[in-house]
Amino acid sequence: MEQVGERSAARLVAILRHLSPRVGAAPAPTSIPTSAQVSAVPQPGRFCYTLDNDVLTTEQRQFYEDNGYLLIKKLVSDEDIERFRKEFMRICRREVNPPGAMIMKDESLRSQYGQSERVVNKVQDFQEDEELFRYCTLPEVLKYVECFTGPNIMAMHTMLINKLPDSDKQTFLHPMHQDLHYFPFRPAARIVCSWTAMERADQNNGCLVVQPGTHKMPLKPHGYPKQGAGNKLFHGLLDEDEKIPKVHLVMEQGDTVFFHPLLIHGSGINKTTGFRKSISCHFASSECYYIDVKNTIQEHLEKELAEMVRKKYNMTSVELKDIWNFRARLVQGERVNL
């Protein structure tokens, strides 16, 4: 397995290669054995969003085709969930500091609680934390991911969310949105999110809310809520259709939902005194390709993210695909384009 320093250096070279074509040569593709047998080409006719495989039943495939998500009960073990929970607590206490990770906090609570799970609401981009990144390599998760992406799989975006109890000062509601808004790579059908509940998630503590069938819609304009200042980069639909039915996904610990990046979804507030934790990864086929988002509805997102990166790393020029190239990590098969 690669050492963290070597992998970070390789990603930095990849970014610099985008910024300056003279720096470095393309790395040789890495090959990791694949698991289930699938066809990486969508079959014409009945199924457009899933690939032929021996994992999903016909009923499961049809449900995903119709609704854009599929819930698998008790997929991740209690033992693994507990390991992820302990690593999150270590990060909260600053006992470990994963390179490249973004630790998001409610600063208004720091004076009262210091460094603890009462303050940290998200660990994003944990691809360099080997303990948390184990989630992205779990065979029981990847066997389902492969049904949507094919055998060459990249982990593109990782998050451990700790939804804090809500208050008048800060809301952790995530407005309804489509994840493809954040992604400069296509095709959308070869991207899937795996989202696992680390404890029971229901309407009281802010479970996921989905609008079934909206994965068949195009990408819609996103931005910050019109009323009140939203959390940084928590963009939502600018024109939400309230007539589309919503489903609250009540999940027990270890339950995992796989969903399409165009599926409209969000999460409510946490009305309890506890915490609602989940761990997730957006996977994509390494055969996906980057697109230029300039002059598209994603252009303003690129500008916002690029400005943040420029300030943090003192870069003079960066594009959205450079940021995602840094985050990407191969988990199975061969690295083709991403």
Side-chain angles (χ1 to χ4, degrees):
M1 183 168 289
E2 299 171 303
Q3 295 300 311
V4 169
E6 294 174 353
R7 191 164 52 250
S8 298
R11 284 205 185 86
L12 182 58
V13 167
I15 288 179
L16 293 175
R17 189 166 59 251
H18 280 294
L19 303 180
S20 174
R22 296 187 301 273
V23 180
T30 306
S31 180
I32 299 174
T34 62
S35 54
Q37 296 297 312
V38 303
S39 166
V41 179
Q43 301 302 307
R46 183 172 181 180
F47 299 118
C48 302
Y49 303 103
T50 58
L51 302 171
D52 288 344
N53 63 84
D54 57 2
V55 176
L56 300 181
T57 66
T58 302
E59 290 74 20
Q60 287 174 321
R61 291 186 70 179
Q62 192 62 56
F63 187 91
Y64 188 88
E65 295 283 329
D66 294 339
N67 297 283
Y69 69 95
L70 180 66
L71 178 60
I72 305 298
K73 303 293 290 183
K74 204 62 181 173
L75 182 64
V76 179
S77 71
D78 292 343
E79 292 76 15
D80 279 322
I81 295 292
E82 186 58 28
R83 287 181 61 172
F84 301 144
R85 192 187 313 277
K86 288 180 178 177
E87 182 70 358
F88 172 74
M89 299 300 288
R90 286 192 285 266
I91 292 172
C92 290
R93 295 192 296 264
R94 293 185 176 179
E95 294 173 8
V96 292
N97 183 25
M102 182 184 297
I103 315 299
M104 302 177 71
K105 311 179 186 73
D106 183 344
E107 298 294 343
S108 67
L109 299 174
R110 181 180 289 186
S111 61
Q112 184 177 358
Y113 297 114
Q115 287 293 131
S116 72
E117 71 170 337
R118 293 179 176 271
V119 175
V120 178
N121 68 297
K122 184 187 291 186
V123 177
Q124 185 164 282
D125 301 330
F126 58 67
Q127 68 272 4
E128 301 297 348
D129 185 295
E130 293 303 319
E131 182 63 13
L132 290 184
F133 194 75
R134 285 182 55 256
Y135 172 76
C136 306
T137 66
L138 291 175
E140 57 268 37
V141 171
L142 288 180
K143 80 172 185 178
Y144 282 98
V145 170
E146 193 172 349
C147 301
F148 309 102
T149 64
N152 299 317
I153 305 173
M154 300 292 294
M156 301 299 295
H157 184 223
T158 52
M159 290 191 298
L160 193 154
I161 298 172
N162 181 46
K163 188 181 282 285
L164 304 176
D166 233 78
S167 67
D168 294 333
K169 296 180 181 179
Q170 176 73 59
T171 177
F172 295 101
L173 175 147
H174 196 155
M176 301 299 283
H177 64 283
Q178 297 165 299
D179 288 337
L180 194 68
H181 165 68
Y182 297 97
F183 303 152
F185 42 90
R186 301 292 188 273
R190 301 284 77 81
I191 305 168
V192 70
C193 180
S194 171
W195 192 102
T196 298
M198 294 177 63
E199 52 230 326
R200 178 179 169 84
D202 54 34
Q203 288 180 256
N204 290 322
N205 61 8
C207 64
L208 281 180
V209 182
V210 301
Q211 292 184 301
T214 52
H215 64 301
K216 300 176 184 179
M217 296 181 176
L219 180 62
K220 297 178 176 295
H222 288 62
Y224 287 109
K226 295 176 182 178
Q227 296 180 346
N231 295 313
K232 196 69 175 173
L233 291 175
F234 275 39
H235 295 170
L237 295 176
L238 293 180
D239 186 19
E240 183 181 346
D241 187 348
E242 297 288 351
K243 296 190 295 292
I244 301 177
K246 295 179 180 178
V247 174
H248 291 79
L249 298 184
V250 176
M251 299 168 64
E252 302 295 339
Q253 178 173 301
D255 291 356
T256 302
V257 61
F258 298 91
F259 60 90
H260 190 283
L262 281 170
L263 180 74
I264 296 175
H265 67 286
S267 63
I269 63 173
N270 181 359
K271 295 178 285 188
T272 73
T273 57
F275 307 92
R276 193 228 69 190
K277 293 181 179 63
S278 61
I279 188 168
S280 69
C281 178
H282 281 89
F283 295 93
S285 167
S286 74
E287 295 164 34
C288 288
Y289 52 87
Y290 287 108
I291 63 168
D292 186 352
V293 300
K294 290 179 177 57
N295 300 316
T296 74
I297 59 175
Q298 291 178 271
E299 183 174 23
H300 73 284
L301 170 71
E302 179 176 59
K303 291 179 179 177
E304 183 177 355
L305 271 172
E307 183 62 25
M308 291 174 61
V309 171
R310 279 195 293 268
K311 288 181 178 179
K312 185 172 183 178
Y313 298 105
N314 197 28
M315 287 183 171
T316 57
S317 176
V318 64
E319 295 181 353
L320 193 57
K321 65 180 180 180
D322 302 321
I323 297 169
W324 285 104
N325 197 291
F326 180 75
R327 288 168 160 168
R329 184 172 170 184
L330 182 71
V331 291
Q332 181 179 284
E334 297 181 350
R335 190 163 191 170
V336 181
N337 295 321
L338 292 182

